[in-house]
Amino acid sequence: MPILQNEEVHYSFEEIRQNIDGIARQMAVRHVTSIDAIIAIGTGGWIPGKLLKDRLSTEERPVPAYSLGIINYGPKKKMLPHPRIYQPLPLDLNLENKTILLVDEVADSGISIIKALEHLQGFKPKKAYTSVLHQKEASLYCPDFVGEHVGNKWIVYPWE
């Protein structure tokens, strides 16, 4: 059970692992068993992306992971007017006709995921699924796989 402190909700690594397990189960139920690459939205998506990479990789078929840097918040947790890509994917990255899993920690407003999907379209993937540990009520975007639906409090992760 996450710890509620003032206007923040604090999650433990065990709760994060449970969300990753839930995401993997959702993927299995929907028969999404073959991911060609994971794109983690930096910086929040790095740890969930790594955990999903470990969960979805096999010895015979390790899943490569890449980082797409998007900034959506400025100082003092203030949302920027528009998300900005500060670290695009390498132009020579071959994602054409591949199945991608885009990962972030939270769909807060959802606009970072929307921005990332727009960027990914230039790489012509066959399919791009989206996944987050937490989806807030106010999110404009509903990811394909969600670890937990939460209210609108500020979330603090154990790696922060």
Side-chain angles (χ1 to χ4, degrees), residues 18-20 22-23 26 131-135 145-149:
Q18 291 170 7
N19 284 339
I20 294 294
I23 290 167
Q26 291 170 42
S131 176
V132 295
L133 293 174
H134 298 103
Q135 179 181 354
F145 307 107
V146 176
E148 184 178 359
H149 295 272

Side-chain angles (χ1 to χ4, degrees), residues 95-151:
L95 300 176
E96 192 169 346
N97 293 320
K98 297 194 176 174
T99 302
I100 309 304
L101 180 62
L102 180 66
V103 180
D104 207 356
E105 87 278 37
V106 61
D108 193 347
S109 66
I111 58 175
S112 292
I113 297 170
I114 294 168
K115 182 79 169 178
L117 286 169
E118 289 170 358
H119 182 72
L120 271 177
Q121 292 314 306
F123 291 86
K124 300 179 182 161
K126 175 172 63 176
K127 177 70 178 162
Y129 292 101
T130 55
S131 176
V132 295
L133 293 174
H134 298 103
Q135 179 181 354
K136 291 191 179 181
E137 291 172 2
S139 179
L140 301 172
Y141 182 82
C142 182
D144 298 299
F145 307 107
V146 176
E148 184 178 359
H149 295 272
V150 296

Side-chain angles (χ1 to χ4, degrees), residues 15 19 32 41 46 51 73 86 93 95 100 103 128 131 133:
E15 290 162 328
N19 284 339
V32 178
I41 297 178
W46 290 344
L51 294 172
Y73 283 91
Y86 68 89
L93 182 61
L95 300 176
I100 309 304
V103 180
S131 176
L133 293 174

Side-chain angles (χ1 to χ4, degrees), residues 44-116:
W46 290 344
I47 292 174
K50 192 260 191 254
L51 294 172
L52 280 166
K53 173 188 170 26
D54 291 348
R55 183 68 189 264
L56 300 175
S57 290
T58 63
E59 193 172 311
E60 300 80 33
R61 194 170 191 278
V63 178
Y66 305 94
S67 179
L68 172 61
I70 298 178
I71 187 168
N72 199 26
Y73 283 91
K76 300 180 184 176
K77 303 176 187 173
K78 185 174 177 352
M79 186 175 280
L80 301 174
H82 303 285
R84 182 175 54 86
I85 294 176
Y86 68 89
Q87 179 190 346
L89 293 170
L91 293 176
D92 62 348
L93 182 61
N94 182 8
L95 300 176
E96 192 169 346
N97 293 320
K98 297 194 176 174
T99 302
I100 309 304
L101 180 62
L102 180 66
V103 180
D104 207 356
E105 87 278 37
V106 61
D108 193 347
S109 66
I111 58 175
S112 292
I113 297 170
I114 294 168
K115 182 79 169 178

